[in-house]
Amino acid sequence: MIVKKVLIPLPNYGCDPSEVAIPWLLLTEQNVAITFVTPEGKVAQADDIMLSGKRLGLLKPLLQARKDAQDAFSLLEQSSSFNNPLSYRDVNEADFDALLLPGGHDKGVKEYLESDTLQQLVVDFFLANKPVAAICHGVLLPARSINPATGKSVINDYQCTGLLKSQELSAYYLTKWWLKDYYLTYPETTTQDELIKALASPSQFKMGPTPLLRDDFEHLHRGFVVQDRNYLSARWPGDVYQLSLAFIKMLKN
């Protein structure tokens, strides 16, 4: 059996535990080989507020990573692949079959979202027509990755989704009195606004149904993803099972 190889870049700190651990778990169960990369090859740390729920107060049940994600992240932390990451500059598109881009909203994710090296890597995967999946803030990487042949984002003519403006602002207003702008990675704009600017038309951005509850194996209908050719996108941790299963299907095709 041919083993598929998937690359997962992460920041040093601030990745969303649900968006990393659930795909990792489901992919490894399908014998997919995972390689993690961080800026300098150091082991990544997840957003501790999302993982532990501390400082979320009464909103902890609503905003914290769910127990299935916490359990999956605990397993991930014991894995060899997670504990032996490469650096961003150590990898090439030609060595992998697909790329997965998790999100996270702590300011620490900026080094990941703004990395010129990763943006070039994303361009390489798109030009090679290989599967690329992105969720939540992770969609900003493809949005910012410019195809040198067109001078536009690699997803300029794609249909897609991403973290909704309503989700980002709701989390901010609910917690701003004690968490300040923790939920606004970029206070000057929202993920949805920046993503739409990268597209040829605002109509290419798909909102999906109102994201109230998170998906799982028994409630896949709660999740929402958009696949257009080689690109798969999702909005938030509540879509992560749908994203993972759709990504696995893309790898098998």
Side-chain angles (χ1 to χ4, degrees):
M1 180 180 65
I2 298 175
V3 176
K4 296 291 186 177
K5 299 177 181 179
V6 171
L7 182 66
I8 305 181
L10 299 174
N12 282 318
Y13 177 82
C15 63
D16 183 274
S18 304
E19 296 167 7
V20 178
I22 295 298
W24 166 82
L25 181 62
L26 300 186
L27 286 166
T28 53
E29 287 177 347
Q30 296 294 317
N31 296 313
V32 174
I34 305 294
T35 296
F36 289 99
V37 287
T38 59
E40 299 89 24
K42 299 177 182 178
V43 178
Q45 292 181 281
D47 184 334
D48 188 54
I49 293 178
M50 289 293 94
L51 200 54
S52 68
K54 67 181 183 182
R55 299 180 66 197
L56 292 177
L58 296 176
L59 296 175
K60 179 177 177 179
L62 176 66
L63 299 176
Q64 182 188 9
R66 205 168 53 188
K67 189 177 185 304
D68 57 337
Q70 295 175 45
D71 291 344
F73 196 83
S74 180
L75 290 173
L76 173 62
E77 288 183 303
Q78 302 171 43
S79 72
S80 175
S81 59
F82 187 74
N83 284 292
N84 293 279
L86 301 176
S87 73
Y88 288 172
R89 296 187 181 278
D90 286 339
V91 294
N92 296 289
E93 162 271 317
D95 297 325
F96 300 92
D97 298 297
L99 178 67
L100 175 63
L101 303 170
H105 52 263
D106 182 275
K107 300 295 189 293
V109 303
K110 286 186 175 183
E111 65 178 344
Y112 158 71
L113 299 175
E114 298 173 5
S115 168
D116 292 337
T117 302
L118 288 186
Q119 289 173 26
Q120 181 57 57
L121 196 62
V122 171
V123 172
D124 293 342
F125 272 89
F126 269 86
L127 293 181
N129 198 35
K130 292 181 177 179
V132 176
I135 182 171
C136 202
H137 282 76
V139 303
L140 290 177
L141 259 170
R144 295 170 176 179
S145 299
I146 305 302
N147 182 340
T150 65
K152 299 176 181 178
S153 168
V154 292
I155 60 168
N156 179 257
D157 65 342
Y158 281 73
Q159 295 191 46
C160 60
T161 191
L163 181 66
L164 302 182
K165 184 174 184 175
S166 59
Q167 292 178 291
E168 199 163 356
L169 293 182
S170 293
Y172 163 65
Y173 285 121
L174 285 170
T175 62
K176 69 174 184 176
W177 299 112
W178 69 96
L179 292 181
K180 308 304 180 183
D181 64 355
Y182 163 70
Y183 271 101
L184 294 181
T185 309
Y186 294 96
E188 63 277 10
T189 189
T190 66
T191 301
Q192 179 180 333
D193 286 336
E194 182 176 345
L195 183 55
I196 287 176
K197 287 181 180 179
L199 303 176
S201 168
S203 65
Q204 293 164 226
F205 182 84
K206 306 303 178 184
M207 302 281 290
T210 302
L212 296 175
L213 300 171
R214 303 186 186 206
D215 69 356
D216 55 32
F217 280 127
E218 285 71 42
H219 305 91
L220 288 176
H221 65 279
R222 295 175 179 171
F224 176 74
V225 299
V226 174
Q227 181 180 344
D228 186 348
R229 288 161 282 175
N230 66 305
Y231 183 50
L232 178 70
S233 53
R235 305 169 300 178
W236 70 307
D239 299 329
V240 75
Y241 280 86
Q242 278 273 27
L243 179 85
S244 301
L245 295 177
F247 191 49
I248 289 169
K249 186 175 180 180
M250 291 173 73
L251 289 173
K252 292 181 177 180
N253 289 339

